């Protein structure tokens, strides 16, 4: 079943004065009246609703770890005036910046002279774009942790009221049979923007000296196996591709030789141009 067909059938069968969501067991929106919410996490679309579901035990939060993440390096400059402390460093930085600007100017000038008209304008735009985005942030390996939300399958339906200050927001949750999807219906008239969003942002793990050493010792170093296992006792060698027995055809090998032999005879005046 296509998602657009499910979306049309879903809204044809529900009341339009309600906010309805179809989410999966990890809280990601699959169907919503607002298309910009499709594919997003429920905590971003409705933080109050997800907070209430977490409090009722419908969803549980699990911390996951990424040991192959990339993070921004720490900034050791305590103030913007640090480069001015060392005049030589400031002079070298200025010279490096001037050299980069001169190189970009020469490249842009040569491209402008080679390409005229629209091509020149396009080249200028390309170089301006590359000059604008030339400073890319350098990342370094790090460890991060991020929250993951999982539906507790023991709770297949729930309902409640969320107090949002001046109003109360009612909601009903029902698991869709024979699937990992949940149907959520909430009141659209009550504004619960006082609740913050629940995000799945990754946070870098900061290790102290001792924990960092233990972390590096426990990290397994990848290496090749000590021995090579080129076959298996239960493997049938006849099922292999048999590329070792592939032989080249004789005719394609003779074609270049025939062309080389006939080439001198075509060098006279009778040979067509």
């Amino acid at each position: 079943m296509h998602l657009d067909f499910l979306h049309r059938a879903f809204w044809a069968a529900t009341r339009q004065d309600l906010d309805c969501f179809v989410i999966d067991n990890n809280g990601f929106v699959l169907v919503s009246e607002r298309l910009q919410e499709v594919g997003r996490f429920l905590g971003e679309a409705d933080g109050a609703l997800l907070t209430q579901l977490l409090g009722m035990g419908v969803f549980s939060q699990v911390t996951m770890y990424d040991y192959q993440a990339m993070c921004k390096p720490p900034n050791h400059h305590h103030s913007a005036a640090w480069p001015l402390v060392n005049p030589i460093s400031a002079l070298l930085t200025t010279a490096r910046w001037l050299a980069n600007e001169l190189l970009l100017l020469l490249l842009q000038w040569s491209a402008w002279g080679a390409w005229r008209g629209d091509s020149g304008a396009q080249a200028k735009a390309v170089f301006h774009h590359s000059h604008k985005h030339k400073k890319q942030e350098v990342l370094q390996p790090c460890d991060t942790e991020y929250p993951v939300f999982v539906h507790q399958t023991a709770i297949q339906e729930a309902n409640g009221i969320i107090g949002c200050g001046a109003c109360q927001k009612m909601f009903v949750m029902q698991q869709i049979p024979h699937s990992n999807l949940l149907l959520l219906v909430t009141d659209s008239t009550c504004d619960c923007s006082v609740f913050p969003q629940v995000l799945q942002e990754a946070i870098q793990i900061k290790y102290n000296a001792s924990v960092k050493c233990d972390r590096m010792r426990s990290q397994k170093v990848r290496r090749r196996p000590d021995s090579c296992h080129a076959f298996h006792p239960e493997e049938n060698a006849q099922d292999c591709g048999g590329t070792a027995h592939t032989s080249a055809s004789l005719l394609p090998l003779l074609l270049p030789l025939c062309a080389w032999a006939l080439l001198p005879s075509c060098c006279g005046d009778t040979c067509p141009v």
Side-chain angles (χ1 to χ4, degrees):
M1 181 182 296
H2 295 286
L3 183 59
D4 55 350
F5 175 78
L6 176 62
H7 187 273
R8 292 194 302 267
F10 176 76
W11 287 111
T14 56
R15 296 174 55 189
Q16 299 302 315
D17 58 345
L18 299 174
D19 282 340
C20 300
F21 301 97
V22 174
I23 64 175
D24 63 2
N25 58 328
N26 293 119
F28 287 92
V29 179
L30 299 181
V31 178
S32 174
E33 183 179 9
R34 295 171 289 273
L35 295 179
Q36 66 272 15
E37 295 177 348
V38 176
R40 297 173 57 189
F41 182 59
L42 179 63
E44 301 179 19
D46 195 332
L49 181 57
L50 183 62
T51 302
Q52 185 70 15
L53 294 176
L54 286 171
M56 298 174 62
V58 178
F59 278 87
S60 61
Q61 179 176 339
V62 181
T63 302
M64 301 293 291
Y65 299 91
D66 186 0
Y67 298 110
Q68 295 180 342
M70 301 295 292
C71 303
K72 296 180 181 180
N75 188 5
H76 298 288
H77 297 172
H78 300 287
S79 65
W82 180 86
L84 300 179
V85 176
N86 190 348
I88 299 179
S89 176
L91 182 61
L92 292 177
T93 302
T94 305
R96 189 182 302 110
W97 177 81
L98 290 176
N100 292 335
E101 292 294 327
L102 180 60
L103 179 60
L104 287 174
L105 180 62
L106 293 176
L107 291 175
Q108 179 179 344
W109 181 264
S110 61
W112 181 262
W115 298 345
R116 293 184 175 89
D118 296 337
S119 299
Q122 182 179 2
K124 186 176 181 181
V126 170
F127 277 102
H128 276 295
H129 185 270
S130 61
H131 173 63
K132 183 179 180 181
H133 297 83
K134 63 179 180 178
K135 293 184 178 180
Q136 297 181 355
E137 295 180 350
V138 180
L139 303 178
Q140 64 181 11
C142 64
D143 296 346
T144 59
E145 61 179 13
Y146 57 95
V148 174
F149 301 88
V150 182
H151 170 236
Q152 300 301 308
T153 56
I155 305 178
Q156 299 183 359
E157 59 181 17
N159 59 80
I161 300 176
I162 306 174
C164 301
C167 61
Q168 293 182 338
K169 184 174 184 178
M170 301 180 61
F171 73 93
V172 176
M173 186 277 294
Q174 178 71 47
Q175 182 175 2
I176 299 177
H178 310 292
S179 71
N180 66 331
L181 306 180
L182 302 174
L183 173 63
L184 293 172
V185 181
T186 64
D187 184 9
S188 61
T189 60
C190 183
D191 183 14
C192 288
S193 57
V194 293
F195 282 82
Q197 293 180 323
V198 181
L199 305 178
Q200 291 184 304
E201 294 181 345
I203 302 176
Q204 182 179 359
I205 303 176
K206 302 291 186 179
Y207 298 107
N208 54 35
S210 60
V211 177
K212 187 174 183 179
C213 292
D214 296 338
R215 171 72 181 87
M216 296 182 66
R217 293 192 191 99
S218 62
Q219 187 172 2
K220 302 297 182 181
V221 180
R222 295 185 178 182
R223 61 183 179 86
R224 298 181 60 182
D226 298 331
S227 60
C228 179
H229 303 276
F231 66 94
H232 192 271
E234 299 180 359
E235 179 183 4
N236 187 2
Q238 297 180 355
D239 295 337
C240 298
T243 56
H245 302 286
T246 302
S247 59
S249 178
L250 183 61
L251 182 60
L253 295 177
L254 293 179
L255 286 177
L257 182 62
C258 295
W260 177 79
L262 295 176
L263 183 61
S265 62
C266 294
C267 293
D269 297 335
T270 59
C271 190
V273 179

